[in-house]
Amino acid sequence: MIEKNYDVVVVGGGLAGVCAALASARGGAVTALIQDRPVLGGNASSEVRMCICGADAHGTRPNARETGIVEEFLLKNRRCNVEQSFSISDTIFWEMTHFQENLDLYLNTRVTQVETEGDMITAVSAVQITNEKEYQINGKIFVDSTGDGFVGARAGAEYMKGREAKTEFNEPDAPDTHDDYVMGITLMFKSFNTGRPVKFEKPFWANTYTEEDLKHRGHCSGAHIWQSKYGIDSGYWWIELGGGELDVIEDTEEIRDELLKILYGVWDHLKNGGDHGAENYVLDWVQFLPAKRESRRITGDYVLNERDLLSSSKFQDAVAYGGWPMDMHAIRGMKNLESLPTDYIHVPDIFQIPYRCYYSKNIRNLMMAGRCISVSHMAHGSTRMMGTCGVGGQAVGTAAALAIRKQCLPKDIGNCIEELQQQLLRDDCYIPDVKNSDAEDKAPLCTNITATSWIEGKEPWHVVDGVHRSEKDNSHCWQSGRLGEGQSIILDFGKAVELSELILRFDTNLGKEISLFLFKAHLVDQIPGVPPELVKDFTVEFLLDHQVVRTIPVLENYMRMVKLPMGQQVCCDQIQVTVTDTYGADFGKIYEIRAY
């Protein structure tokens, strides 16, 4: 048995776990990330190939896309993964974690036991199946990002499972009585057009479906706009099972086997059950790792519920946000063909998620990230989206590192919630209704902020107004006129200041999707590569008494957030940022400039 010691132990390497582990390590905590699969990303990995959806609801909610580490990954992927391959994105997840200081990555490593003393977790036991190494991994804070809430359940954490009755949280769309049903598991497939007719012979074990069977499940040419325009290239999220008589945890293997019968039966129907436009198509990939939506939800000090989402409740301890509709899939999935496969319950606006949803109510050093956070079944229909899980994971990792520095427990961070919120904002996360009030940031102290040009409503002084994205009618940015040979913004402090770091936030068009997609329909509507609005080349000049004392040129930038550490402090009374090129836009745009 190999013994390891860490400040923070993150179990589960989906998007939430990756974000939690990176945030923890970047916050100075010595961190372990334990993943029982060969790749990271969970449902966003090549094993499942789902898109990273979130509050922007496929680009229909303006300026709502998640930033922070989620955006960092998506932009790296846009830069390095030209063909938008899920296998290449696996490598990007690996690179971000494997080479992160303070972070040890354990792939192919399954946690088998959780050791506790009273109401505290002391260690987890794990086996790395590729090399037969056994580990005891000790930690001060543990993060359950397993999806199924495995660590919490084994530690004795209180958890919820099933659908709460309408009266439990006064939720208008909840069932009248409490039951143990959850949303099911899906297998996807990928196909391609060979350009010639290809026969398909149904396996003897596959199910048989008629058009009547699938009347509520769009599957043929014209049923969905992407199929009528682009063919049957992938599908279908409604190939779903479990959550009723089959338990999504205990019966996962049996559900997977049944889903294979369903998937091949659906493909047989597309090929041989009438004219579905599939004559030239052949299966190219079939998912074998079951993709889960819901199982255990670990109880925290607050349970976010449907009323909070419908009314956009405000929380003093907000650390993350969501905005996807409550996407309530039919219980039992394909065993329930008479029901619509899902019910989308509209969420009127983005909503806050409080910090109290991210730590266990009764296990004092346990935090949660991903779909096992403290929410009701109804709210879970929205918060389970990967983009929402990712920003919550970053909040958890940041809070865990803060707790390590302060030598306190996760719950105690609630007493210094503003410090956590401000760190999240500094790290490019967004919290609705929370503004930058970082006392160390000198940029808001400037006596004058001007520019060589600007357009009405996007004046230069917006770069220090405390919000680093557009919100409804407020631009919160400086946008120059025609770029030409360059446009500059000048921050005048009115006196000499000592600076050691500059943070700039550029425009990556948070109203458009940039995620990988299995479905061609979503990819054809995307502009390939890095968002054209993003600033590519710029120069920062530090001036003292109208003389340039230091110049930092930046070429080929592809990040929304750029941190410029100066190494040695620079004394200046003005900063001038000159934008010289973008990835396609004929203007420069900056949302925020911070100076430390």
Side-chain angles (χ1 to χ4, degrees), residues 8-13 16-17 20 114 121 141-155 157 296 298 358 360 365-373 396:
V8 178
V9 178
V10 180
V11 183
V114 178
I121 301 174
I141 293 176
F142 291 81
V143 177
D144 188 333
S145 54
T146 63
D148 284 338
F150 172 84
V151 175
R154 289 297 177 97
R296 302 182 187 100
I298 299 172
Y358 290 107
S360 168
N365 64 340
L366 175 65
M367 305 186 76
M368 303 85 75
R371 61 182 174 86
C372 62
I373 67 170
V396 166

PDB file of all heavy atoms in Angstrom, residues 8-13 16-17 20 114 121 141-155 157 296 298 358 360 365-373 396:
ATOM      1  N   VAL A   8      -6.047  18.653  -0.385  1.00  0.00           N
ATOM      2  CA  VAL A   8      -7.374  18.484  -0.986  1.00  0.00           C
ATOM      3  C   VAL A   8      -7.347  17.258  -1.893  1.00  0.00           C
ATOM      4  O   VAL A   8      -6.439  17.107  -2.721  1.00  0.00           O
ATOM      5  CB  VAL A   8      -7.790  19.732  -1.793  1.00  0.00           C
ATOM      6  CG1 VAL A   8      -9.148  19.522  -2.461  1.00  0.00           C
ATOM      7  CG2 VAL A   8      -7.827  20.965  -0.890  1.00  0.00           C
ATOM      8  N   VAL A   9      -8.340  16.385  -1.741  1.00  0.00           N
ATOM      9  CA  VAL A   9      -8.460  15.186  -2.567  1.00  0.00           C
ATOM     10  C   VAL A   9      -9.771  15.276  -3.340  1.00  0.00           C
ATOM     11  O   VAL A   9     -10.853  15.308  -2.740  1.00  0.00           O
ATOM     12  CB  VAL A   9      -8.426  13.906  -1.719  1.00  0.00           C
ATOM     13  CG1 VAL A   9      -8.597  12.674  -2.605  1.00  0.00           C
ATOM     14  CG2 VAL A   9      -7.128  13.823  -0.917  1.00  0.00           C
ATOM     15  N   VAL A  10      -9.669  15.345  -4.659  1.00  0.00           N
ATOM     16  CA  VAL A  10     -10.841  15.417  -5.538  1.00  0.00           C
ATOM     17  C   VAL A  10     -11.041  14.046  -6.160  1.00  0.00           C
ATOM     18  O   VAL A  10     -10.142  13.526  -6.840  1.00  0.00           O
ATOM     19  CB  VAL A  10     -10.653  16.483  -6.630  1.00  0.00           C
ATOM     20  CG1 VAL A  10     -11.888  16.542  -7.534  1.00  0.00           C
ATOM     21  CG2 VAL A  10     -10.377  17.851  -6.010  1.00  0.00           C
ATOM     22  N   VAL A  11     -12.202  13.449  -5.944  1.00  0.00           N
ATOM     23  CA  VAL A  11     -12.497  12.122  -6.488  1.00  0.00           C
ATOM     24  C   VAL A  11     -13.538  12.278  -7.591  1.00  0.00           C
ATOM     25  O   VAL A  11     -14.667  12.703  -7.343  1.00  0.00           O
ATOM     26  CB  VAL A  11     -13.013  11.165  -5.398  1.00  0.00           C
ATOM     27  CG1 VAL A  11     -13.229   9.765  -5.991  1.00  0.00           C
ATOM     28  CG2 VAL A  11     -12.035  11.104  -4.226  1.00  0.00           C
ATOM     29  N   GLY A  12     -13.136  11.959  -8.810  1.00  0.00           N
ATOM     30  CA  GLY A  12     -14.011  12.098  -9.968  1.00  0.00           C
ATOM     31  C   GLY A  12     -13.468  13.136 -10.925  1.00  0.00           C
ATOM     32  O   GLY A  12     -13.311  14.300 -10.550  1.00  0.00           O
ATOM     33  N   GLY A  13     -13.176  12.714 -12.160  1.00  0.00           N
ATOM     34  CA  GLY A  13     -12.513  13.590 -13.117  1.00  0.00           C
ATOM     35  C   GLY A  13     -13.381  14.041 -14.264  1.00  0.00           C
ATOM     36  O   GLY A  13     -12.895  14.231 -15.378  1.00  0.00           O
ATOM     37  N   ALA A  16     -16.554  18.962 -13.678  1.00  0.00           N
ATOM     38  CA  ALA A  16     -16.597  19.579 -12.346  1.00  0.00           C
ATOM     39  C   ALA A  16     -15.363  19.219 -11.536  1.00  0.00           C
ATOM     40  O   ALA A  16     -14.773  20.078 -10.871  1.00  0.00           O
ATOM     41  CB  ALA A  16     -17.865  19.153 -11.604  1.00  0.00           C
ATOM     42  N   GLY A  17     -14.948  17.956 -11.567  1.00  0.00           N
ATOM     43  CA  GLY A  17     -13.774  17.531 -10.827  1.00  0.00           C
ATOM     44  C   GLY A  17     -12.497  18.164 -11.355  1.00  0.00           C
ATOM     45  O   GLY A  17     -11.618  18.564 -10.585  1.00  0.00           O
ATOM     46  N   ALA A  20     -12.522  21.758 -10.180  1.00  0.00           N
ATOM     47  CA  ALA A  20     -12.259  21.820  -8.743  1.00  0.00           C
ATOM     48  C   ALA A  20     -10.780  21.576  -8.446  1.00  0.00           C
ATOM     49  O   ALA A  20     -10.167  22.285  -7.638  1.00  0.00           O
ATOM     50  CB  ALA A  20     -13.122  20.800  -8.005  1.00  0.00           C
ATOM     51  N   VAL A 114     -13.724   4.442   1.836  1.00  0.00           N
ATOM     52  CA  VAL A 114     -13.626   5.783   2.414  1.00  0.00           C
ATOM     53  C   VAL A 114     -13.487   5.615   3.918  1.00  0.00           C
ATOM     54  O   VAL A 114     -14.346   5.007   4.567  1.00  0.00           O
ATOM     55  CB  VAL A 114     -14.866   6.627   2.079  1.00  0.00           C
ATOM     56  CG1 VAL A 114     -14.767   8.006   2.723  1.00  0.00           C
ATOM     57  CG2 VAL A 114     -15.042   6.744   0.560  1.00  0.00           C
ATOM     58  N   ILE A 121     -13.778  12.709   7.071  1.00  0.00           N
ATOM     59  CA  ILE A 121     -13.090  11.733   6.233  1.00  0.00           C
ATOM     60  C   ILE A 121     -11.593  11.899   6.454  1.00  0.00           C
ATOM     61  O   ILE A 121     -11.073  13.013   6.461  1.00  0.00           O
ATOM     62  CB  ILE A 121     -13.426  11.946   4.743  1.00  0.00           C
ATOM     63  CG1 ILE A 121     -14.944  11.823   4.507  1.00  0.00           C
ATOM     64  CG2 ILE A 121     -12.688  10.936   3.871  1.00  0.00           C
ATOM     65  CD1 ILE A 121     -15.376  12.167   3.098  1.00  0.00           C
ATOM     66  N   ILE A 141      -9.308  17.953   3.145  1.00  0.00           N
ATOM     67  CA  ILE A 141     -10.632  18.220   2.570  1.00  0.00           C
ATOM     68  C   ILE A 141     -10.823  17.285   1.384  1.00  0.00           C
ATOM     69  O   ILE A 141      -9.900  17.090   0.578  1.00  0.00           O
ATOM     70  CB  ILE A 141     -10.760  19.689   2.129  1.00  0.00           C
ATOM     71  CG1 ILE A 141     -10.735  20.614   3.349  1.00  0.00           C
ATOM     72  CG2 ILE A 141     -12.043  19.917   1.326  1.00  0.00           C
ATOM     73  CD1 ILE A 141     -10.764  22.099   3.002  1.00  0.00           C
ATOM     74  N   PHE A 142     -12.016  16.711   1.268  1.00  0.00           N
ATOM     75  CA  PHE A 142     -12.338  15.804   0.173  1.00  0.00           C
ATOM     76  C   PHE A 142     -13.479  16.384  -0.660  1.00  0.00           C
ATOM     77  O   PHE A 142     -14.435  16.938  -0.108  1.00  0.00           O
ATOM     78  CB  PHE A 142     -12.731  14.421   0.705  1.00  0.00           C
ATOM     79  CG  PHE A 142     -11.578  13.681   1.326  1.00  0.00           C
ATOM     80  CD1 PHE A 142     -11.176  13.963   2.627  1.00  0.00           C
ATOM     81  CD2 PHE A 142     -10.867  12.729   0.606  1.00  0.00           C
ATOM     82  CE1 PHE A 142     -10.095  13.305   3.201  1.00  0.00           C
ATOM     83  CE2 PHE A 142      -9.787  12.067   1.170  1.00  0.00           C
ATOM     84  CZ  PHE A 142      -9.396  12.356   2.476  1.00  0.00           C
ATOM     85  N   VAL A 143     -13.339  16.256  -1.968  1.00  0.00           N
ATOM     86  CA  VAL A 143     -14.372  16.744  -2.889  1.00  0.00           C
ATOM     87  C   VAL A 143     -14.949  15.550  -3.635  1.00  0.00           C
ATOM     88  O   VAL A 143     -14.225  14.819  -4.318  1.00  0.00           O
ATOM     89  CB  VAL A 143     -13.792  17.760  -3.891  1.00  0.00           C
ATOM     90  CG1 VAL A 143     -14.871  18.205  -4.880  1.00  0.00           C
ATOM     91  CG2 VAL A 143     -13.202  18.964  -3.168  1.00  0.00           C
ATOM     92  N   ASP A 144     -16.255  15.346  -3.486  1.00  0.00           N
ATOM     93  CA  ASP A 144     -16.950  14.264  -4.194  1.00  0.00           C
ATOM     94  C   ASP A 144     -17.465  14.817  -5.517  1.00  0.00           C
ATOM     95  O   ASP A 144     -18.431  15.571  -5.563  1.00  0.00           O
ATOM     96  CB  ASP A 144     -18.110  13.741  -3.347  1.00  0.00           C
ATOM     97  CG  ASP A 144     -18.746  12.486  -3.943  1.00  0.00           C
ATOM     98  OD1 ASP A 144     -18.674  12.306  -5.172  1.00  0.00           O
ATOM     99  OD2 ASP A 144     -19.340  11.697  -3.176  1.00  0.00           O
ATOM    100  N   SER A 145     -16.785  14.451  -6.589  1.00  0.00           N
ATOM    101  CA  SER A 145     -17.262  14.807  -7.929  1.00  0.00           C
ATOM    102  C   SER A 145     -17.455  13.544  -8.755  1.00  0.00           C
ATOM    103  O   SER A 145     -17.222  13.513  -9.954  1.00  0.00           O
ATOM    104  CB  SER A 145     -16.278  15.762  -8.611  1.00  0.00           C
ATOM    105  OG  SER A 145     -14.971  15.228  -8.633  1.00  0.00           O
ATOM    106  N   THR A 146     -17.892  12.491  -8.067  1.00  0.00           N
ATOM    107  CA  THR A 146     -18.091  11.192  -8.715  1.00  0.00           C
ATOM    108  C   THR A 146     -19.390  11.112  -9.495  1.00  0.00           C
ATOM    109  O   THR A 146     -19.616  10.135 -10.209  1.00  0.00           O
ATOM    110  CB  THR A 146     -18.093  10.072  -7.668  1.00  0.00           C
ATOM    111  OG1 THR A 146     -19.200  10.272  -6.766  1.00  0.00           O
ATOM    112  CG2 THR A 146     -16.795  10.042  -6.872  1.00  0.00           C
ATOM    113  N   GLY A 147     -20.252  12.097  -9.368  1.00  0.00           N
ATOM    114  CA  GLY A 147     -21.555  12.043 -10.019  1.00  0.00           C
ATOM    115  C   GLY A 147     -22.551  11.275  -9.185  1.00  0.00           C
ATOM    116  O   GLY A 147     -23.616  11.787  -8.830  1.00  0.00           O
ATOM    117  N   ASP A 148     -22.214  10.055  -8.841  1.00  0.00           N
ATOM    118  CA  ASP A 148     -23.106   9.219  -8.033  1.00  0.00           C
ATOM    119  C   ASP A 148     -23.014   9.517  -6.542  1.00  0.00           C
ATOM    120  O   ASP A 148     -23.699   8.871  -5.745  1.00  0.00           O
ATOM    121  CB  ASP A 148     -22.794   7.733  -8.261  1.00  0.00           C
ATOM    122  CG  ASP A 148     -23.330   7.217  -9.586  1.00  0.00           C
ATOM    123  OD1 ASP A 148     -24.272   7.825 -10.129  1.00  0.00           O
ATOM    124  OD2 ASP A 148     -22.802   6.210 -10.094  1.00  0.00           O
ATOM    125  N   GLY A 149     -22.169  10.436  -6.141  1.00  0.00           N
ATOM    126  CA  GLY A 149     -22.028  10.733  -4.714  1.00  0.00           C
ATOM    127  C   GLY A 149     -21.454   9.572  -3.941  1.00  0.00           C
ATOM    128  O   GLY A 149     -21.785   9.367  -2.765  1.00  0.00           O
ATOM    129  N   PHE A 150     -20.553   8.811  -4.577  1.00  0.00           N
ATOM    130  CA  PHE A 150     -20.015   7.589  -3.980  1.00  0.00           C
ATOM    131  C   PHE A 150     -19.257   7.876  -2.681  1.00  0.00           C
ATOM    132  O   PHE A 150     -19.449   7.191  -1.668  1.00  0.00           O
ATOM    133  CB  PHE A 150     -19.095   6.892  -4.987  1.00  0.00           C
ATOM    134  CG  PHE A 150     -18.332   5.725  -4.436  1.00  0.00           C
ATOM    135  CD1 PHE A 150     -18.925   4.476  -4.368  1.00  0.00           C
ATOM    136  CD2 PHE A 150     -17.027   5.864  -3.984  1.00  0.00           C
ATOM    137  CE1 PHE A 150     -18.235   3.386  -3.852  1.00  0.00           C
ATOM    138  CE2 PHE A 150     -16.318   4.787  -3.476  1.00  0.00           C
ATOM    139  CZ  PHE A 150     -16.925   3.546  -3.411  1.00  0.00           C
ATOM    140  N   VAL A 151     -18.384   8.868  -2.707  1.00  0.00           N
ATOM    141  CA  VAL A 151     -17.574   9.163  -1.522  1.00  0.00           C
ATOM    142  C   VAL A 151     -18.469   9.589  -0.367  1.00  0.00           C
ATOM    143  O   VAL A 151     -18.317   9.126   0.772  1.00  0.00           O
ATOM    144  CB  VAL A 151     -16.528  10.251  -1.839  1.00  0.00           C
ATOM    145  CG1 VAL A 151     -15.763  10.654  -0.582  1.00  0.00           C
ATOM    146  CG2 VAL A 151     -15.555   9.758  -2.900  1.00  0.00           C
ATOM    147  N   GLY A 152     -19.412  10.471  -0.655  1.00  0.00           N
ATOM    148  CA  GLY A 152     -20.325  10.923   0.386  1.00  0.00           C
ATOM    149  C   GLY A 152     -21.140   9.795   0.980  1.00  0.00           C
ATOM    150  O   GLY A 152     -21.280   9.693   2.205  1.00  0.00           O
ATOM    151  N   ALA A 153     -21.660   8.928   0.111  1.00  0.00           N
ATOM    152  CA  ALA A 153     -22.470   7.813   0.598  1.00  0.00           C
ATOM    153  C   ALA A 153     -21.650   6.884   1.476  1.00  0.00           C
ATOM    154  O   ALA A 153     -22.107   6.443   2.542  1.00  0.00           O
ATOM    155  CB  ALA A 153     -23.068   7.048  -0.581  1.00  0.00           C
ATOM    156  N   ARG A 154     -20.427   6.591   1.067  1.00  0.00           N
ATOM    157  CA  ARG A 154     -19.571   5.696   1.847  1.00  0.00           C
ATOM    158  C   ARG A 154     -19.134   6.344   3.161  1.00  0.00           C
ATOM    159  O   ARG A 154     -18.848   5.645   4.139  1.00  0.00           O
ATOM    160  CB  ARG A 154     -18.344   5.287   1.033  1.00  0.00           C
ATOM    161  CG  ARG A 154     -18.656   4.331  -0.115  1.00  0.00           C
ATOM    162  CD  ARG A 154     -19.216   3.014   0.397  1.00  0.00           C
ATOM    163  NE  ARG A 154     -19.595   2.120  -0.671  1.00  0.00           N
ATOM    164  CZ  ARG A 154     -18.824   1.138  -1.140  1.00  0.00           C
ATOM    165  NH1 ARG A 154     -17.625   0.930  -0.614  1.00  0.00           N
ATOM    166  NH2 ARG A 154     -19.234   0.367  -2.117  1.00  0.00           N
ATOM    167  N   ALA A 155     -19.089   7.665   3.193  1.00  0.00           N
ATOM    168  CA  ALA A 155     -18.670   8.368   4.417  1.00  0.00           C
ATOM    169  C   ALA A 155     -19.829   8.578   5.382  1.00  0.00           C
ATOM    170  O   ALA A 155     -19.615   9.040   6.510  1.00  0.00           O
ATOM    171  CB  ALA A 155     -18.060   9.722   4.050  1.00  0.00           C
ATOM    172  N   ALA A 157     -22.583  10.496   4.569  1.00  0.00           N
ATOM    173  CA  ALA A 157     -23.208  11.797   4.343  1.00  0.00           C
ATOM    174  C   ALA A 157     -24.697  11.624   4.069  1.00  0.00           C
ATOM    175  O   ALA A 157     -25.122  10.661   3.423  1.00  0.00           O
ATOM    176  CB  ALA A 157     -22.542  12.506   3.164  1.00  0.00           C
ATOM    177  N   ARG A 296     -27.603   9.988  -6.663  1.00  0.00           N
ATOM    178  CA  ARG A 296     -27.631  10.607  -5.333  1.00  0.00           C
ATOM    179  C   ARG A 296     -27.350  12.108  -5.438  1.00  0.00           C
ATOM    180  O   ARG A 296     -26.557  12.545  -6.263  1.00  0.00           O
ATOM    181  CB  ARG A 296     -26.582   9.977  -4.417  1.00  0.00           C
ATOM    182  CG  ARG A 296     -26.703   8.478  -4.213  1.00  0.00           C
ATOM    183  CD  ARG A 296     -25.618   8.016  -3.251  1.00  0.00           C
ATOM    184  NE  ARG A 296     -25.565   6.571  -3.121  1.00  0.00           N
ATOM    185  CZ  ARG A 296     -24.679   5.785  -3.747  1.00  0.00           C
ATOM    186  NH1 ARG A 296     -23.773   6.337  -4.545  1.00  0.00           N
ATOM    187  NH2 ARG A 296     -24.695   4.481  -3.579  1.00  0.00           N
ATOM    188  N   ILE A 298     -26.107  14.866  -2.588  1.00  0.00           N
ATOM    189  CA  ILE A 298     -25.675  14.969  -1.194  1.00  0.00           C
ATOM    190  C   ILE A 298     -26.256  16.241  -0.572  1.00  0.00           C
ATOM    191  O   ILE A 298     -26.191  17.322  -1.154  1.00  0.00           O
ATOM    192  CB  ILE A 298     -24.142  14.960  -1.107  1.00  0.00           C
ATOM    193  CG1 ILE A 298     -23.612  13.635  -1.676  1.00  0.00           C
ATOM    194  CG2 ILE A 298     -23.672  15.138   0.328  1.00  0.00           C
ATOM    195  CD1 ILE A 298     -22.108  13.589  -1.822  1.00  0.00           C
ATOM    196  N   TYR A 358     -22.707  23.375  -1.723  1.00  0.00           N
ATOM    197  CA  TYR A 358     -21.488  22.731  -2.182  1.00  0.00           C
ATOM    198  C   TYR A 358     -20.686  22.053  -1.075  1.00  0.00           C
ATOM    199  O   TYR A 358     -19.567  21.608  -1.320  1.00  0.00           O
ATOM    200  CB  TYR A 358     -20.604  23.747  -2.909  1.00  0.00           C
ATOM    201  CG  TYR A 358     -21.167  24.193  -4.239  1.00  0.00           C
ATOM    202  CD1 TYR A 358     -21.715  25.472  -4.400  1.00  0.00           C
ATOM    203  CD2 TYR A 358     -21.164  23.354  -5.340  1.00  0.00           C
ATOM    204  CE1 TYR A 358     -22.221  25.892  -5.617  1.00  0.00           C
ATOM    205  CE2 TYR A 358     -21.673  23.756  -6.565  1.00  0.00           C
ATOM    206  CZ  TYR A 358     -22.200  25.033  -6.700  1.00  0.00           C
ATOM    207  OH  TYR A 358     -22.702  25.442  -7.904  1.00  0.00           O
ATOM    208  N   SER A 360     -21.132  19.282   2.491  1.00  0.00           N
ATOM    209  CA  SER A 360     -22.032  18.340   3.161  1.00  0.00           C
ATOM    210  C   SER A 360     -22.579  18.913   4.467  1.00  0.00           C
ATOM    211  O   SER A 360     -21.858  19.577   5.219  1.00  0.00           O
ATOM    212  CB  SER A 360     -21.296  17.028   3.434  1.00  0.00           C
ATOM    213  OG  SER A 360     -22.026  16.201   4.312  1.00  0.00           O
ATOM    214  N   ASN A 365     -15.697  17.753   6.454  1.00  0.00           N
ATOM    215  CA  ASN A 365     -14.649  18.098   5.494  1.00  0.00           C
ATOM    216  C   ASN A 365     -14.945  17.559   4.093  1.00  0.00           C
ATOM    217  O   ASN A 365     -14.043  17.327   3.296  1.00  0.00           O
ATOM    218  CB  ASN A 365     -13.282  17.609   5.963  1.00  0.00           C
ATOM    219  CG  ASN A 365     -13.195  16.090   6.063  1.00  0.00           C
ATOM    220  OD1 ASN A 365     -14.215  15.398   6.144  1.00  0.00           O
ATOM    221  ND2 ASN A 365     -11.970  15.568   6.069  1.00  0.00           N
ATOM    222  N   LEU A 366     -16.239  17.385   3.789  1.00  0.00           N
ATOM    223  CA  LEU A 366     -16.670  16.899   2.479  1.00  0.00           C
ATOM    224  C   LEU A 366     -17.345  18.013   1.685  1.00  0.00           C
ATOM    225  O   LEU A 366     -18.259  18.674   2.176  1.00  0.00           O
ATOM    226  CB  LEU A 366     -17.641  15.719   2.633  1.00  0.00           C
ATOM    227  CG  LEU A 366     -18.268  15.196   1.336  1.00  0.00           C
ATOM    228  CD1 LEU A 366     -17.200  14.605   0.415  1.00  0.00           C
ATOM    229  CD2 LEU A 366     -19.347  14.157   1.639  1.00  0.00           C
ATOM    230  N   MET A 367     -16.872  18.209   0.456  1.00  0.00           N
ATOM    231  CA  MET A 367     -17.498  19.137  -0.471  1.00  0.00           C
ATOM    232  C   MET A 367     -17.999  18.355  -1.681  1.00  0.00           C
ATOM    233  O   MET A 367     -17.592  17.205  -1.911  1.00  0.00           O
ATOM    234  CB  MET A 367     -16.512  20.233  -0.889  1.00  0.00           C
ATOM    235  CG  MET A 367     -15.904  20.982   0.291  1.00  0.00           C
ATOM    236  SD  MET A 367     -14.884  22.391  -0.194  1.00  0.00           S
ATOM    237  CE  MET A 367     -16.147  23.586  -0.637  1.00  0.00           C
ATOM    238  N   MET A 368     -18.874  18.979  -2.457  1.00  0.00           N
ATOM    239  CA  MET A 368     -19.431  18.315  -3.627  1.00  0.00           C
ATOM    240  C   MET A 368     -19.272  19.211  -4.847  1.00  0.00           C
ATOM    241  O   MET A 368     -19.403  20.430  -4.755  1.00  0.00           O
ATOM    242  CB  MET A 368     -20.918  18.022  -3.440  1.00  0.00           C
ATOM    243  CG  MET A 368     -21.271  17.195  -2.222  1.00  0.00           C
ATOM    244  SD  MET A 368     -21.458  18.173  -0.716  1.00  0.00           S
ATOM    245  CE  MET A 368     -23.054  18.958  -0.994  1.00  0.00           C
ATOM    246  N   ALA A 369     -19.002  18.575  -5.991  1.00  0.00           N
ATOM    247  CA  ALA A 369     -18.931  19.293  -7.261  1.00  0.00           C
ATOM    248  C   ALA A 369     -19.570  18.428  -8.335  1.00  0.00           C
ATOM    249  O   ALA A 369     -19.383  17.212  -8.353  1.00  0.00           O
ATOM    250  CB  ALA A 369     -17.480  19.617  -7.629  1.00  0.00           C
ATOM    251  N   GLY A 370     -20.342  19.055  -9.215  1.00  0.00           N
ATOM    252  CA  GLY A 370     -20.988  18.296 -10.286  1.00  0.00           C
ATOM    253  C   GLY A 370     -22.457  18.063 -10.017  1.00  0.00           C
ATOM    254  O   GLY A 370     -23.128  18.850  -9.355  1.00  0.00           O
ATOM    255  N   ARG A 371     -22.968  16.920 -10.474  1.00  0.00           N
ATOM    256  CA  ARG A 371     -24.406  16.687 -10.391  1.00  0.00           C
ATOM    257  C   ARG A 371     -24.862  16.184  -9.024  1.00  0.00           C
ATOM    258  O   ARG A 371     -26.073  16.031  -8.808  1.00  0.00           O
ATOM    259  CB  ARG A 371     -24.859  15.733 -11.499  1.00  0.00           C
ATOM    260  CG  ARG A 371     -24.235  14.351 -11.467  1.00  0.00           C
ATOM    261  CD  ARG A 371     -24.736  13.507 -12.649  1.00  0.00           C
ATOM    262  NE  ARG A 371     -24.074  12.225 -12.741  1.00  0.00           N
ATOM    263  CZ  ARG A 371     -24.438  11.126 -12.097  1.00  0.00           C
ATOM    264  NH1 ARG A 371     -25.474  11.157 -11.287  1.00  0.00           N
ATOM    265  NH2 ARG A 371     -23.777  10.003 -12.260  1.00  0.00           N
ATOM    266  N   CYS A 372     -23.924  15.933  -8.085  1.00  0.00           N
ATOM    267  CA  CYS A 372     -24.332  15.417  -6.777  1.00  0.00           C
ATOM    268  C   CYS A 372     -24.409  16.525  -5.732  1.00  0.00           C
ATOM    269  O   CYS A 372     -24.383  16.248  -4.528  1.00  0.00           O
ATOM    270  CB  CYS A 372     -23.401  14.304  -6.310  1.00  0.00           C
ATOM    271  SG  CYS A 372     -21.683  14.799  -6.074  1.00  0.00           S
ATOM    272  N   ILE A 373     -24.549  17.790  -6.150  1.00  0.00           N
ATOM    273  CA  ILE A 373     -24.640  18.879  -5.182  1.00  0.00           C
ATOM    274  C   ILE A 373     -26.032  18.903  -4.549  1.00  0.00           C
ATOM    275  O   ILE A 373     -26.936  18.176  -4.948  1.00  0.00           O
ATOM    276  CB  ILE A 373     -24.289  20.236  -5.814  1.00  0.00           C
ATOM    277  CG1 ILE A 373     -25.348  20.648  -6.849  1.00  0.00           C
ATOM    278  CG2 ILE A 373     -22.898  20.199  -6.431  1.00  0.00           C
ATOM    279  CD1 ILE A 373     -25.193  22.083  -7.342  1.00  0.00           C
ATOM    280  N   VAL A 396     -15.867  25.382  -5.760  1.00  0.00           N
ATOM    281  CA  VAL A 396     -15.520  24.418  -4.709  1.00  0.00           C
ATOM    282  C   VAL A 396     -14.010  24.331  -4.521  1.00  0.00           C
ATOM    283  O   VAL A 396     -13.496  24.368  -3.390  1.00  0.00           O
ATOM    284  CB  VAL A 396     -16.122  23.036  -5.049  1.00  0.00           C
ATOM    285  CG1 VAL A 396     -15.504  21.945  -4.183  1.00  0.00           C
ATOM    286  CG2 VAL A 396     -17.633  23.060  -4.871  1.00  0.00           C
TER     287      VAL A 396
END
